[in-house]
């Protein structure tokens, strides 16, 4: 049986088929590619639509179009002296602003310099976008400048990695990765942009042009291929696209799980909440999270909210085996870490800790645990603080007592100050003495224990909270990683105060290496004039020794005044040795 078709219908089918094939091959796109615009503008438009206010960078030709376009749209470009600092600053912005922190660096060594900082963001669960340049689409793997396999390098470190291949992919790719960075367990994401996807068509076309094409059929084929690749690279690039944020998925506890926890806590005589930084993530404002917490023996009901039973909680061994334990975490692997050995949750919730705590608090409205329990906790804190104060009053053999210095700073530090912790022994002591002024007012690297976060964290913090005093607590060892950022503080008008505990030693290691192994090799430093380094970078440096003990408060107040007037300051404090925290091992 034959089916007759009208000639017009056959022509219509043929034409439709040709249009479909042309669409799949990108030939239709190629009709509309010519424009003075460039791919960097598309990146900037998406970032602005997502509320990004800062892009941290160390400039490189691969990424220049992104930086220029962002600046034109009102996104502040903050350039640093090291790529790791740019990522650390973006990490701090992510923690403090509730948006994705953004860093952009050039190809090859520019990206490899960020590896430690990206890993730190991964372990700290910070939503961060790393933008990197890469060699042109046709030159990758052919020996181009700074051309390496960047995707393999960052896939183990990031939630998602993408390599843009054509200009029309830029907008949907950037929207996608920004949503991924914030969904589920937050973390870093990475996009690499080949240089020919970022520059204008007329410039890229000059690079693709064959100056002396080979004769014969192969020459013509090569010329045709390059011409067609160029057209498809830009085809459809400037079609109108949605740049608004995609939905973000945040896991939540079920009503039944919350109710079960309400019942457990309401019957508890000694409830304790161990609150981790994950509880400060959006959508819950960090200031809404106000819960009691305690150090020491944990009994009855323990809520491990947004933190993990790793080395910081002795792998779970601090949790009393007779306690009822509630664990809440967005990350399944962290939720149950070491539960097969030292602890076991009665309720395990894969969900957002901040939202859970608000729902738990609402369900416990009017409930109050026995008064003697919080009073005993406060009494324990008072006893510890008294002992610490006694240690601070002791004279050291040389220089100033570090605990005394920290007490003086803590007492004079302004309300709303942000403390950035970057160091080992001196910072470990500061954690006992200095009181965070509120949620997200103490920034440290987290479980990775990374040295070198100070300059970047302080930079990001000061930009997010320009009205706040920002203090960096440095060891003299860790200062070496980011002291050059005093030049960044000067140029970008971000006055911070650096307190350097200068004991001429990597003391966190030395305190165990010497008694155990009998040698101080590689631990010794010198009492270096770091205050002069700060002066050289445009800041204000001050040397403080034992002879300045009686006027320490005045020196601190003068440093605070300098920062209010717009000048970053560094207090180079010569400190002696104490036996405080003796036995603390550095592994």
């Amino acid at each position: 049986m034959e089916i007759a078709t009208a000639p017009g219908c056959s022509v219509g089918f043929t034409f439709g088929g040709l249009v479909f094939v042309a669409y799949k091959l990108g030939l239709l796109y190629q009709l509309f590619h010519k424009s003075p615009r460039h791919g960097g503008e598309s990146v900037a438009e998406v970032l602005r639509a997502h509320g990004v206010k800062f892009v941290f960078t160390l400039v490189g030709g691969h990424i220049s179009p992104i930086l220029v376009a962002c600046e034109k749209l009102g996104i502040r470009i903050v350039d640093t002296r090291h790529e790791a600092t740019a990522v650390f600053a973006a990490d701090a912005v992510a923690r403090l602003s509730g948006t994705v922190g953004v860093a952009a660096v050039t190809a090859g060594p520019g990206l490899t310099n960020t590896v430690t900082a990206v890993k730190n963001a991964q372990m700290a669960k910070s939503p961060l976008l790393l933008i990197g340049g890469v060699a042109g689409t046709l030159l990758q793997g052919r020996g181009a400048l700074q051309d390496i396999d960047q995707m393999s390098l960052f896939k183990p470190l990031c939630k998602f990695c993408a390599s843009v291949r054509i200009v029309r992919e830029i907008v949907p790719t950037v929207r996608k990765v920004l949503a991924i960075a914030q969904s589920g367990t937050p973390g870093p994401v990475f996009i690499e942009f080949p240089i020919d996807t970022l520059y204008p068509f007329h410039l890229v076309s000059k690079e693709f042009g064959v100056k002396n094409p080979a004769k014969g059929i192969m020459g013509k084929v090569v010329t045709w291929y390059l011409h067609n690749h160029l057209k498809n690279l830009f085809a459809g690039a400037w079609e109108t696209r949605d740049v608004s944020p995609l939905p973000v998925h945040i896991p939540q506890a079920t009503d039944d799980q919350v109710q079960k926890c309400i019942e457990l806590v309401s019957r508890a005589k000694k409830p304790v909440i161990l609150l981790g930084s994950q509880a400060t993530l959006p959508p819950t404002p960090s200031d809404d999270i106000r819960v009691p917490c305690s150090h020491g023996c944990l009994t009855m009901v323990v809520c491990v909210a947004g933190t993990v039973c790793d080395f910081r909680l002795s792998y779970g061994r601090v949790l009393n085996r007779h306690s009822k334990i509630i664990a809440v975490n967005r990350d399944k692997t962290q939720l149950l870490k070491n539960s097969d050995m030292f602890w076991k949750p009665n309720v395990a919730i894969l969900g957002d800790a901040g939202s859970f705590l608000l729902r738990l608090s609402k369900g416990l409205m009017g409930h109050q645990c026995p008064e003697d329990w919080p009073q005993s906790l406060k009494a324990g804190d008072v006893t510890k603080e008294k002992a610490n104060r006694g240690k601070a009053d002791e004279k050291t053999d040389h220089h100033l007592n570090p605990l005394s210095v920290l007490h003086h700073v803590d007492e004079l530090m302004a309300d709303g100050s942000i403390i950035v912790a970057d160091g080992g022994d001196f910072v470990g002591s500061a954690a006992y003495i200095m009181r965070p002024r509120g949620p997200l007012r103490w920034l440290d690297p987290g479980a990775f224990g990374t040295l070198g976060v100070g300059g970047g964290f302080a930079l990001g913090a000061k930009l997010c909270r320009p009205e706040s005093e920002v203090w960096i607590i440095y060891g003299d060892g860790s200062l070496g990683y980011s002291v050059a950022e005093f030049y960044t503080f000067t140029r970008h008008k971000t006055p911070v105060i650096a307190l350097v505990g200068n004991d001429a030693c990597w003391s966190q290691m030395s305190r165990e290496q010497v008694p155990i192994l009998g040698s101080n090799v590689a631990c010794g430093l010198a009492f270096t004039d770091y205050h002069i380094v700060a002066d050289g970078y445009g800041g204000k440096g001050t040397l403080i020794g034992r002879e300045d003990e009686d006027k320490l408060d005045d020196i601190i107040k003068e440093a605070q005044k300098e920062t209010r007037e717009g000048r970053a300051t560094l207090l180079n404090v010569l400190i002696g040795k104490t036996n405080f925290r003796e036995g603390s091992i550095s592994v």
Side-chain angles (χ1 to χ4, degrees), residues 47-48 50-57 67 70-71 74-79 86 89-90 92-94 96-97 99-104 129 131 459-466 492 494:
L47 295 181
R48 182 177 65 173
H50 285 69
V52 174
K53 295 181 179 179
F54 310 104
V55 171
F56 299 94
T57 189
L67 305 181
C70 284
E71 184 185 40
I75 298 173
R76 184 169 175 179
I77 302 299
V78 185
D79 57 308
V93 166
L96 292 172
S97 70
T99 59
V100 177
V102 180
L129 168 60
I131 292 171
L459 178 64
K462 190 63 178 178
L463 288 168
C464 286
R465 305 276 196 276
H492 288 283
T494 49

mmCIF file of all heavy atoms in Angstrom, residues 47-48 50-57 67 70-71 74-79 86 89-90 92-94 96-97 99-104 129 131 459-466 492 494:
data_model
loop_
_atom_site.group_PDB
_atom_site.id
_atom_site.type_symbol
_atom_site.label_atom_id
_atom_site.label_comp_id
_atom_site.label_asym_id
_atom_site.label_seq_id
_atom_site.Cartn_x
_atom_site.Cartn_y
_atom_site.Cartn_z
ATOM 1 N N LEU A 47 27.560 36.734 37.855
ATOM 2 C CA LEU A 47 28.036 36.986 39.214
ATOM 3 C C LEU A 47 27.236 38.127 39.864
ATOM 4 O O LEU A 47 26.847 38.032 41.028
ATOM 5 C CB LEU A 47 29.529 37.327 39.199
ATOM 6 C CG LEU A 47 30.481 36.210 38.749
ATOM 7 C CD1 LEU A 47 31.925 36.692 38.815
ATOM 8 C CD2 LEU A 47 30.305 34.953 39.594
ATOM 9 N N ARG A 48 27.001 39.179 39.125
ATOM 10 C CA ARG A 48 26.234 40.302 39.683
ATOM 11 C C ARG A 48 24.815 39.869 40.035
ATOM 12 O O ARG A 48 24.291 40.249 41.090
ATOM 13 C CB ARG A 48 26.196 41.469 38.697
ATOM 14 C CG ARG A 48 25.436 42.682 39.252
ATOM 15 C CD ARG A 48 25.458 43.855 38.302
ATOM 16 N NE ARG A 48 24.754 43.569 37.059
ATOM 17 C CZ ARG A 48 24.521 44.484 36.112
ATOM 18 N NH1 ARG A 48 24.959 45.724 36.266
ATOM 19 N NH2 ARG A 48 23.884 44.154 34.994
ATOM 20 N N HIS A 50 23.894 37.145 41.085
ATOM 21 C CA HIS A 50 23.934 36.271 42.269
ATOM 22 C C HIS A 50 24.415 37.009 43.522
ATOM 23 O O HIS A 50 24.702 36.377 44.540
ATOM 24 C CB HIS A 50 24.836 35.062 41.998
ATOM 25 C CG HIS A 50 24.214 34.028 41.107
ATOM 26 N ND1 HIS A 50 23.983 34.245 39.775
ATOM 27 C CD2 HIS A 50 23.742 32.774 41.369
ATOM 28 C CE1 HIS A 50 23.412 33.170 39.247
ATOM 29 N NE2 HIS A 50 23.257 32.261 40.183
ATOM 30 N N GLY A 51 24.504 38.307 43.446
ATOM 31 C CA GLY A 51 24.848 39.096 44.624
ATOM 32 C C GLY A 51 26.313 39.112 44.973
ATOM 33 O O GLY A 51 26.675 39.487 46.096
ATOM 34 N N VAL A 52 27.173 38.729 44.037
ATOM 35 C CA VAL A 52 28.611 38.748 44.301
ATOM 36 C C VAL A 52 29.108 40.189 44.312
ATOM 37 O O VAL A 52 28.887 40.939 43.356
ATOM 38 C CB VAL A 52 29.379 37.928 43.238
ATOM 39 C CG1 VAL A 52 30.884 38.074 43.413
ATOM 40 C CG2 VAL A 52 28.973 36.457 43.325
ATOM 41 N N LYS A 53 29.781 40.580 45.387
ATOM 42 C CA LYS A 53 30.276 41.950 45.528
ATOM 43 C C LYS A 53 31.779 42.071 45.334
ATOM 44 O O LYS A 53 32.279 43.157 45.040
ATOM 45 C CB LYS A 53 29.897 42.498 46.905
ATOM 46 C CG LYS A 53 28.392 42.643 47.126
ATOM 47 C CD LYS A 53 28.100 43.216 48.507
ATOM 48 C CE LYS A 53 26.598 43.372 48.710
ATOM 49 N NZ LYS A 53 26.281 43.917 50.065
ATOM 50 N N PHE A 54 32.494 40.960 45.527
ATOM 51 C CA PHE A 54 33.952 40.990 45.445
ATOM 52 C C PHE A 54 34.458 39.818 44.604
ATOM 53 O O PHE A 54 33.935 38.714 44.707
ATOM 54 C CB PHE A 54 34.591 40.890 46.843
ATOM 55 C CG PHE A 54 34.026 41.843 47.855
ATOM 56 C CD1 PHE A 54 33.143 41.391 48.839
ATOM 57 C CD2 PHE A 54 34.360 43.183 47.839
ATOM 58 C CE1 PHE A 54 32.614 42.249 49.773
ATOM 59 C CE2 PHE A 54 33.839 44.062 48.767
ATOM 60 C CZ PHE A 54 32.962 43.605 49.743
ATOM 61 N N VAL A 55 35.477 40.082 43.823
ATOM 62 C CA VAL A 55 36.239 39.020 43.164
ATOM 63 C C VAL A 55 37.699 39.223 43.548
ATOM 64 O O VAL A 55 38.277 40.285 43.307
ATOM 65 C CB VAL A 55 36.083 39.048 41.635
ATOM 66 C CG1 VAL A 55 37.062 38.061 40.982
ATOM 67 C CG2 VAL A 55 34.650 38.714 41.234
ATOM 68 N N PHE A 56 38.285 38.201 44.153
ATOM 69 C CA PHE A 56 39.678 38.268 44.591
ATOM 70 C C PHE A 56 40.562 37.623 43.531
ATOM 71 O O PHE A 56 40.203 36.582 42.958
ATOM 72 C CB PHE A 56 39.845 37.564 45.937
ATOM 73 C CG PHE A 56 39.021 38.204 47.023
ATOM 74 C CD1 PHE A 56 37.744 37.721 47.320
ATOM 75 C CD2 PHE A 56 39.494 39.298 47.727
ATOM 76 C CE1 PHE A 56 36.968 38.315 48.300
ATOM 77 C CE2 PHE A 56 38.727 39.897 48.714
ATOM 78 C CZ PHE A 56 37.460 39.413 49.001
ATOM 79 N N THR A 57 41.715 38.224 43.291
ATOM 80 C CA THR A 57 42.495 37.768 42.144
ATOM 81 C C THR A 57 43.975 38.103 42.292
ATOM 82 O O THR A 57 44.362 38.938 43.118
ATOM 83 C CB THR A 57 41.961 38.437 40.853
ATOM 84 O OG1 THR A 57 42.573 37.846 39.716
ATOM 85 C CG2 THR A 57 42.260 39.938 40.847
ATOM 86 N N LEU A 67 37.903 40.206 34.790
ATOM 87 C CA LEU A 67 38.163 41.240 35.790
ATOM 88 C C LEU A 67 37.662 42.599 35.316
ATOM 89 O O LEU A 67 37.027 43.344 36.072
ATOM 90 C CB LEU A 67 39.660 41.299 36.095
ATOM 91 C CG LEU A 67 40.322 39.980 36.528
ATOM 92 C CD1 LEU A 67 41.800 40.210 36.827
ATOM 93 C CD2 LEU A 67 39.614 39.388 37.744
ATOM 94 N N CYS A 70 33.787 42.660 35.309
ATOM 95 C CA CYS A 70 33.246 42.734 36.669
ATOM 96 C C CYS A 70 33.353 44.153 37.221
ATOM 97 O O CYS A 70 32.413 44.673 37.827
ATOM 98 C CB CYS A 70 33.984 41.756 37.584
ATOM 99 S SG CYS A 70 33.526 40.028 37.366
ATOM 100 N N GLU A 71 34.501 44.776 37.013
ATOM 101 C CA GLU A 71 34.681 46.142 37.510
ATOM 102 C C GLU A 71 33.662 47.094 36.886
ATOM 103 O O GLU A 71 33.087 47.953 37.568
ATOM 104 C CB GLU A 71 36.095 46.630 37.207
ATOM 105 C CG GLU A 71 36.384 48.020 37.779
ATOM 106 C CD GLU A 71 37.727 48.545 37.375
ATOM 107 O OE1 GLU A 71 38.117 48.342 36.205
ATOM 108 O OE2 GLU A 71 38.401 49.157 38.225
ATOM 109 N N GLY A 74 30.348 47.025 38.615
ATOM 110 C CA GLY A 74 30.301 47.416 40.018
ATOM 111 C C GLY A 74 30.759 46.359 40.990
ATOM 112 O O GLY A 74 30.627 46.537 42.208
ATOM 113 N N ILE A 75 31.283 45.247 40.491
ATOM 114 C CA ILE A 75 31.855 44.219 41.373
ATOM 115 C C ILE A 75 33.292 44.636 41.694
ATOM 116 O O ILE A 75 34.078 44.905 40.791
ATOM 117 C CB ILE A 75 31.828 42.833 40.707
ATOM 118 C CG1 ILE A 75 30.379 42.418 40.417
ATOM 119 C CG2 ILE A 75 32.519 41.794 41.586
ATOM 120 C CD1 ILE A 75 30.260 41.141 39.599
ATOM 121 N N ARG A 76 33.617 44.673 42.959
ATOM 122 C CA ARG A 76 34.936 45.165 43.355
ATOM 123 C C ARG A 76 36.008 44.106 43.110
ATOM 124 O O ARG A 76 35.882 42.963 43.571
ATOM 125 C CB ARG A 76 34.927 45.570 44.828
ATOM 126 C CG ARG A 76 36.237 46.197 45.298
ATOM 127 C CD ARG A 76 36.098 46.809 46.665
ATOM 128 N NE ARG A 76 37.368 47.293 47.171
ATOM 129 C CZ ARG A 76 37.520 47.891 48.353
ATOM 130 N NH1 ARG A 76 36.466 48.082 49.138
ATOM 131 N NH2 ARG A 76 38.716 48.306 48.746
ATOM 132 N N ILE A 77 37.045 44.489 42.399
ATOM 133 C CA ILE A 77 38.170 43.597 42.137
ATOM 134 C C ILE A 77 39.247 43.875 43.173
ATOM 135 O O ILE A 77 39.726 45.007 43.300
ATOM 136 C CB ILE A 77 38.737 43.805 40.720
ATOM 137 C CG1 ILE A 77 37.633 43.579 39.668
ATOM 138 C CG2 ILE A 77 39.912 42.871 40.475
ATOM 139 C CD1 ILE A 77 37.028 42.184 39.677
ATOM 140 N N VAL A 78 39.622 42.843 43.924
ATOM 141 C CA VAL A 78 40.613 42.976 44.991
ATOM 142 C C VAL A 78 41.787 42.066 44.655
ATOM 143 O O VAL A 78 41.676 40.842 44.725
ATOM 144 C CB VAL A 78 40.007 42.605 46.360
ATOM 145 C CG1 VAL A 78 41.017 42.860 47.472
ATOM 146 C CG2 VAL A 78 38.719 43.390 46.619
ATOM 147 N N ASP A 79 42.912 42.680 44.269
ATOM 148 C CA ASP A 79 44.070 41.877 43.881
ATOM 149 C C ASP A 79 45.024 41.718 45.051
ATOM 150 O O ASP A 79 45.231 42.636 45.841
ATOM 151 C CB ASP A 79 44.781 42.499 42.684
ATOM 152 C CG ASP A 79 45.228 43.924 42.928
ATOM 153 O OD1 ASP A 79 44.393 44.745 43.346
ATOM 154 O OD2 ASP A 79 46.422 44.233 42.718
ATOM 155 N N ALA A 86 44.042 35.055 47.684
ATOM 156 C CA ALA A 86 42.786 35.364 46.991
ATOM 157 C C ALA A 86 41.702 34.346 47.350
ATOM 158 O O ALA A 86 40.545 34.705 47.606
ATOM 159 C CB ALA A 86 43.014 35.396 45.478
ATOM 160 N N ALA A 89 40.630 34.732 51.030
ATOM 161 C CA ALA A 89 39.739 35.885 51.172
ATOM 162 C C ALA A 89 38.330 35.544 50.697
ATOM 163 O O ALA A 89 37.337 35.918 51.329
ATOM 164 C CB ALA A 89 40.301 37.075 50.394
ATOM 165 N N ALA A 90 38.230 34.826 49.578
ATOM 166 C CA ALA A 90 36.922 34.405 49.084
ATOM 167 C C ALA A 90 36.240 33.461 50.074
ATOM 168 O O ALA A 90 35.017 33.517 50.272
ATOM 169 C CB ALA A 90 37.076 33.726 47.723
ATOM 170 N N ALA A 92 36.613 33.534 53.367
ATOM 171 C CA ALA A 92 36.098 34.359 54.460
ATOM 172 C C ALA A 92 34.810 35.068 54.067
ATOM 173 O O ALA A 92 33.864 35.162 54.863
ATOM 174 C CB ALA A 92 37.151 35.384 54.886
ATOM 175 N N VAL A 93 34.757 35.572 52.836
ATOM 176 C CA VAL A 93 33.546 36.233 52.359
ATOM 177 C C VAL A 93 32.374 35.256 52.342
ATOM 178 O O VAL A 93 31.248 35.595 52.735
ATOM 179 C CB VAL A 93 33.777 36.842 50.963
ATOM 180 C CG1 VAL A 93 32.446 37.238 50.313
ATOM 181 C CG2 VAL A 93 34.685 38.064 51.060
ATOM 182 N N ALA A 94 32.630 34.024 51.899
ATOM 183 C CA ALA A 94 31.566 33.016 51.882
ATOM 184 C C ALA A 94 31.029 32.765 53.289
ATOM 185 O O ALA A 94 29.819 32.652 53.493
ATOM 186 C CB ALA A 94 32.092 31.716 51.272
ATOM 187 N N LEU A 96 31.099 34.807 55.898
ATOM 188 C CA LEU A 96 30.516 35.977 56.555
ATOM 189 C C LEU A 96 29.327 36.577 55.821
ATOM 190 O O LEU A 96 28.505 37.264 56.431
ATOM 191 C CB LEU A 96 31.587 37.062 56.721
ATOM 192 C CG LEU A 96 32.719 36.734 57.701
ATOM 193 C CD1 LEU A 96 33.813 37.789 57.622
ATOM 194 C CD2 LEU A 96 32.182 36.645 59.117
ATOM 195 N N SER A 97 29.222 36.340 54.518
ATOM 196 C CA SER A 97 28.195 37.025 53.737
ATOM 197 C C SER A 97 26.992 36.174 53.396
ATOM 198 O O SER A 97 25.933 36.694 53.053
ATOM 199 C CB SER A 97 28.810 37.561 52.432
ATOM 200 O OG SER A 97 29.132 36.496 51.557
ATOM 201 N N THR A 99 26.890 34.412 50.775
ATOM 202 C CA THR A 99 26.938 34.231 49.330
ATOM 203 C C THR A 99 28.170 33.392 48.984
ATOM 204 O O THR A 99 28.975 33.066 49.846
ATOM 205 C CB THR A 99 27.033 35.578 48.594
ATOM 206 O OG1 THR A 99 28.218 36.273 49.031
ATOM 207 C CG2 THR A 99 25.822 36.441 48.877
ATOM 208 N N VAL A 100 28.298 33.066 47.704
ATOM 209 C CA VAL A 100 29.460 32.308 47.257
ATOM 210 C C VAL A 100 30.657 33.250 47.151
ATOM 211 O O VAL A 100 30.572 34.313 46.533
ATOM 212 C CB VAL A 100 29.189 31.637 45.902
ATOM 213 C CG1 VAL A 100 30.434 30.916 45.397
ATOM 214 C CG2 VAL A 100 28.029 30.662 46.016
ATOM 215 N N GLY A 101 31.779 32.892 47.752
ATOM 216 C CA GLY A 101 33.008 33.654 47.576
ATOM 217 C C GLY A 101 33.618 33.330 46.230
ATOM 218 O O GLY A 101 33.554 32.185 45.778
ATOM 219 N N VAL A 102 34.230 34.327 45.587
ATOM 220 C CA VAL A 102 34.743 34.135 44.229
ATOM 221 C C VAL A 102 36.206 34.564 44.141
ATOM 222 O O VAL A 102 36.571 35.664 44.573
ATOM 223 C CB VAL A 102 33.923 34.934 43.197
ATOM 224 C CG1 VAL A 102 34.471 34.710 41.786
ATOM 225 C CG2 VAL A 102 32.453 34.532 43.262
ATOM 226 N N ALA A 103 37.030 33.698 43.571
ATOM 227 C CA ALA A 103 38.430 34.012 43.285
ATOM 228 C C ALA A 103 38.704 33.662 41.830
ATOM 229 O O ALA A 103 38.202 32.658 41.322
ATOM 230 C CB ALA A 103 39.368 33.233 44.202
ATOM 231 N N ALA A 104 39.481 34.501 41.170
ATOM 232 C CA ALA A 104 39.828 34.265 39.767
ATOM 233 C C ALA A 104 41.346 34.366 39.613
ATOM 234 O O ALA A 104 41.946 35.364 40.026
ATOM 235 C CB ALA A 104 39.141 35.285 38.864
ATOM 236 N N LEU A 129 33.645 29.727 44.549
ATOM 237 C CA LEU A 129 33.858 29.529 43.110
ATOM 238 C C LEU A 129 35.273 29.940 42.754
ATOM 239 O O LEU A 129 35.664 31.092 42.958
ATOM 240 C CB LEU A 129 32.855 30.356 42.294
ATOM 241 C CG LEU A 129 33.144 30.464 40.779
ATOM 242 C CD1 LEU A 129 33.157 29.097 40.117
ATOM 243 C CD2 LEU A 129 32.126 31.388 40.106
ATOM 244 N N ILE A 131 37.667 30.494 39.633
ATOM 245 C CA ILE A 131 37.691 30.700 38.188
ATOM 246 C C ILE A 131 39.146 30.653 37.735
ATOM 247 O O ILE A 131 40.004 31.322 38.319
ATOM 248 C CB ILE A 131 37.069 32.059 37.816
ATOM 249 C CG1 ILE A 131 35.561 32.051 38.107
ATOM 250 C CG2 ILE A 131 37.325 32.399 36.351
ATOM 251 C CD1 ILE A 131 34.912 33.418 37.976
ATOM 252 N N LEU A 459 41.444 40.063 55.109
ATOM 253 C CA LEU A 459 41.035 40.894 53.978
ATOM 254 C C LEU A 459 39.552 40.721 53.682
ATOM 255 O O LEU A 459 38.796 41.696 53.561
ATOM 256 C CB LEU A 459 41.882 40.543 52.754
ATOM 257 C CG LEU A 459 41.574 41.265 51.451
ATOM 258 C CD1 LEU A 459 41.839 42.756 51.588
ATOM 259 C CD2 LEU A 459 42.407 40.669 50.308
ATOM 260 N N GLY A 460 39.118 39.459 53.565
ATOM 261 C CA GLY A 460 37.709 39.201 53.303
ATOM 262 C C GLY A 460 36.815 39.687 54.423
ATOM 263 O O GLY A 460 35.733 40.246 54.185
ATOM 264 N N ALA A 461 37.259 39.497 55.679
ATOM 265 C CA ALA A 461 36.456 39.910 56.830
ATOM 266 C C ALA A 461 36.287 41.421 56.873
ATOM 267 O O ALA A 461 35.190 41.929 57.135
ATOM 268 C CB ALA A 461 37.105 39.414 58.120
ATOM 269 N N LYS A 462 37.356 42.156 56.624
ATOM 270 C CA LYS A 462 37.276 43.622 56.686
ATOM 271 C C LYS A 462 36.404 44.176 55.580
ATOM 272 O O LYS A 462 35.688 45.173 55.774
ATOM 273 C CB LYS A 462 38.684 44.222 56.613
ATOM 274 C CG LYS A 462 38.731 45.718 56.910
ATOM 275 C CD LYS A 462 38.270 46.032 58.335
ATOM 276 C CE LYS A 462 38.358 47.515 58.650
ATOM 277 N NZ LYS A 462 37.867 47.825 60.014
ATOM 278 N N LEU A 463 36.419 43.558 54.414
ATOM 279 C CA LEU A 463 35.552 44.009 53.326
ATOM 280 C C LEU A 463 34.085 43.731 53.632
ATOM 281 O O LEU A 463 33.205 44.535 53.300
ATOM 282 C CB LEU A 463 35.965 43.327 52.019
ATOM 283 C CG LEU A 463 37.294 43.810 51.421
ATOM 284 C CD1 LEU A 463 37.750 42.886 50.300
ATOM 285 C CD2 LEU A 463 37.161 45.241 50.903
ATOM 286 N N CYS A 464 33.818 42.593 54.267
ATOM 287 C CA CYS A 464 32.433 42.262 54.625
ATOM 288 C C CYS A 464 31.933 43.064 55.825
ATOM 289 O O CYS A 464 30.741 43.380 55.915
ATOM 290 C CB CYS A 464 32.308 40.764 54.943
ATOM 291 S SG CYS A 464 32.374 39.685 53.519
ATOM 292 N N ARG A 465 32.830 43.371 56.756
ATOM 293 C CA ARG A 465 32.457 44.085 57.985
ATOM 294 C C ARG A 465 33.390 45.296 58.175
ATOM 295 O O ARG A 465 34.200 45.335 59.083
ATOM 296 C CB ARG A 465 32.592 43.161 59.199
ATOM 297 C CG ARG A 465 31.827 41.872 59.125
ATOM 298 C CD ARG A 465 30.376 42.049 59.567
ATOM 299 N NE ARG A 465 29.789 40.755 59.851
ATOM 300 C CZ ARG A 465 29.247 39.951 58.933
ATOM 301 N NH1 ARG A 465 29.265 40.324 57.660
ATOM 302 N NH2 ARG A 465 28.724 38.788 59.289
ATOM 303 N N PRO A 466 33.264 46.303 57.315
ATOM 304 C CA PRO A 466 34.193 47.444 57.390
ATOM 305 C C PRO A 466 34.106 48.211 58.700
ATOM 306 O O PRO A 466 35.063 48.883 59.086
ATOM 307 C CB PRO A 466 33.772 48.323 56.205
ATOM 308 C CG PRO A 466 32.382 47.889 55.866
ATOM 309 C CD PRO A 466 32.310 46.438 56.211
ATOM 310 N N HIS A 492 44.140 48.615 49.251
ATOM 311 C CA HIS A 492 42.683 48.461 49.195
ATOM 312 C C HIS A 492 41.980 49.045 50.425
ATOM 313 O O HIS A 492 40.794 48.793 50.634
ATOM 314 C CB HIS A 492 42.321 46.989 49.006
ATOM 315 C CG HIS A 492 42.629 46.493 47.627
ATOM 316 N ND1 HIS A 492 41.833 46.775 46.539
ATOM 317 C CD2 HIS A 492 43.667 45.756 47.153
ATOM 318 C CE1 HIS A 492 42.353 46.227 45.458
ATOM 319 N NE2 HIS A 492 43.476 45.601 45.794
ATOM 320 N N THR A 494 41.976 48.534 53.669
ATOM 321 C CA THR A 494 41.355 47.573 54.584
ATOM 322 C C THR A 494 42.219 47.469 55.840
ATOM 323 O O THR A 494 42.964 46.500 56.009
ATOM 324 C CB THR A 494 41.206 46.193 53.917
ATOM 325 O OG1 THR A 494 42.462 45.827 53.307
ATOM 326 C CG2 THR A 494 40.130 46.219 52.851
#
